[in-house]
Amino acid sequence: LWMAVSRSVLFLLAFAVGVLVCVLAISWYSQGRKASIFKCVPEASPTSPSTKSLTVTTSSSQDCDTICAAGSYRRFPDAIIIGVRKGGTRALIDMLKTHPRVLAARGEVHYFDNEENFSKGVGWYIERMPYVSPGQIAVEKSPSYFINEATPERIFLYSRHLKLILIVRDPVQRAISDFTQLNSKKVKKQMKSKDFEEVVLTSNGSVKYTSPLISVSMYDVHLQKWFKYFKREQIHFVNGDKLITSPHTELRKVETFLKIDSFFQEDMFYYNNTKGFYCWKLVDKQGNEVRNCLGSSKGREHPFVSEKVISRLKQFFEPHNRNFYSLTGEQFDW
């Protein structure tokens, strides 16, 4: 009898140890590559039991670094603006986050396209997401995701049902805008700069397709990499040229794609003659009108580019544009 009891006890101990190992393994896995959730929950204040304060419970025991509503939490984003650089990503996210149901990560996260950031794990990534409440969605934007080789697969492995947003504009104008920004940085650093034509064309007039100014604008080449992992209906294409001239129409399409309530109205936007694009106005909780415009770095004056150079670039991009239209099922009239 004693032997039978001993065997039973040993069996139960072994079983308990096995269960504990499984629990610890699952806990470790959930805190690693899988998305952990950081929650804000109400808790009685230690100084006054009758009042409420907010504490944060996280899988990594980190404190809440922002004031957040009770029941809000951080998680993997619902949508990512993947690009394109100088296509209007800043304007898009700044306008989009005025929607009461949309919250955006601060700045550009660059998790999936930056090896150092990616090595920190998904917990690092989620810590950079906004706190969202039920009914709200989280969005982040990192324009270089679109052209990065590793990013499509990395995002897919984390969330294969994620919604992606790509804003594109006339590829020639995008290249000129990109050059303008890069050139302004060189001027500030008192570095020697070249003319736009020197950067994009060879001495015999051929297009330097390996130049980042040109290669980034070859939208079809990059998009095909995303279609290896994501379905067409998972990617929404914003017309960056129309966002400049009629922002509310493009934003309404984004609302439909994200399945959120209609919020953007035409009278929310007004044209700023100084900047040369639309700004927007909102009414705050106190009933005061608040006007918003993009920063001074947006709307820079472009350098003069001859019609001959523009015509040569349009000719180069024409087959790429046709292929892009075919892939997206949309017409952009570039």
Side-chain angles (χ1 to χ4, degrees):
L1 180 62
W2 181 84
M3 295 267 309
V5 171
S6 298
R7 288 197 191 99
S8 297
V9 171
L10 288 173
F11 174 79
L12 289 173
L13 285 172
F15 179 77
V17 170
V19 170
L20 180 61
V21 169
C22 288
V23 169
L24 290 174
I26 292 172
S27 176
W28 172 82
Y29 182 69
S30 66
Q31 292 180 39
R33 306 298 289 183
K34 290 292 181 182
S36 49
I37 296 178
F38 306 148
K39 294 184 178 179
C40 291
V41 296
E43 178 182 82
S45 169
T47 57
S48 176
S50 62
T51 61
K52 294 282 186 178
S53 65
L54 289 176
T55 61
V56 175
T57 57
T58 78
S59 59
S60 57
S61 301
Q62 297 197 8
D63 294 330
C64 185
D65 58 359
T66 60
I67 298 174
C68 43
S72 64
Y73 56 98
R74 282 171 168 163
R75 55 175 164 75
F76 203 89
D78 301 276
I80 299 178
I81 299 174
I82 58 174
V84 62
R85 174 182 164 87
K86 304 310 296 179
T89 58
R90 170 52 60 190
L92 177 60
I93 201 165
D94 279 359
M95 292 177 182
L96 191 58
K97 70 184 182 183
T98 62
H99 194 295
R101 286 191 57 192
V102 177
L103 292 170
R106 283 184 249 173
E108 295 176 0
V109 181
H110 290 290
Y111 173 64
F112 294 102
D113 64 338
N114 183 295
E115 295 303 321
E116 181 181 351
N117 291 343
F118 191 69
S119 67
K120 297 174 183 177
V122 75
W124 179 91
Y125 180 58
I126 292 188
E127 286 172 8
R128 276 139 190 86
M129 293 302 109
Y131 285 97
V132 293
S133 299
Q136 293 181 320
I137 64 172
V139 180
E140 78 113 324
K141 78 135 181 135
S142 295
S144 55
Y145 282 171
F146 181 55
I147 64 171
N148 183 263
E149 293 284 341
T151 296
E153 182 180 17
R154 285 175 172 178
I155 293 179
F156 177 78
L157 291 175
Y158 275 100
S159 182
R160 60 188 61 192
H161 302 297
L162 186 74
K163 292 186 176 183
L164 305 171
I165 300 173
L166 175 67
I167 179 169
V168 290
R169 60 186 296 200
D170 182 315
V172 177
Q173 293 304 315
R174 192 221 66 81
I176 295 173
S177 180
D178 202 350
F179 170 81
T180 303
Q181 177 172 306
L182 294 171
N183 201 44
S184 68
K185 291 180 179 179
K186 288 183 177 180
V187 171
K188 287 181 180 178
K189 295 179 180 179
Q190 297 183 329
M191 296 171 61
K192 186 178 180 181
S193 61
K194 297 181 179 180
D195 292 334
F196 177 74
E197 184 176 348
E198 292 181 82
V199 178
V200 299
L201 298 180
T202 63
S203 57
N204 63 5
S206 299
V207 176
K208 296 179 181 178
Y209 58 86
T210 56
S211 166
L213 296 181
I214 300 300
S215 62
V216 172
S217 287
M218 295 161 64
Y219 304 141
D220 62 320
V221 175
H222 307 295
L223 183 59
Q224 290 179 74
K225 299 168 188 173
W226 289 87
F227 278 166
K228 289 180 181 179
Y229 301 96
F230 295 96
K231 299 175 183 177
R232 166 63 184 86
E233 56 266 29
Q234 287 180 261
I235 306 178
H236 177 69
F237 299 91
V238 177
N239 188 322
D241 299 310
K242 289 185 178 179
L243 185 70
I244 296 172
T245 59
S246 183
H248 72 284
T249 57
E250 287 301 306
L251 289 167
R252 283 176 178 174
K253 293 176 185 177
V254 178
E255 288 175 327
T256 300
F257 174 68
L258 296 177
K259 297 181 179 180
I260 54 178
D261 302 332
S262 179
F263 172 75
F264 296 105
Q265 304 297 325
E266 186 174 3
D267 60 7
M268 291 174 60
F269 300 90
Y270 65 96
Y271 190 77
N272 186 308
N273 289 307
T274 303
K275 288 185 171 291
F277 49 76
Y278 279 87
C279 300
W280 59 100
K281 54 190 176 182
L282 297 169
V283 177
D284 63 18
K285 294 179 180 179
Q286 287 73 41
N288 302 313
E289 184 178 272
V290 180
R291 296 185 172 231
N292 298 275
C293 264
L294 297 176
S296 58
S297 64
K298 305 301 178 182
R300 296 186 185 93
E301 184 178 354
H302 287 182
F304 170 78
V305 180
S306 71
E307 283 299 321
K308 182 181 178 181
V309 173
I310 291 177
S311 178
R312 180 69 189 91
L313 292 177
K314 283 184 176 292
Q315 183 182 21
F316 171 82
F317 284 121
E318 198 270 336
H320 289 286
N321 293 343
R322 276 192 285 106
N323 193 32
F324 183 70
Y325 301 159
S326 177
L327 289 169
T328 62
E330 298 188 27
Q331 195 75 20
F332 292 87
D333 301 321
W334 294 323

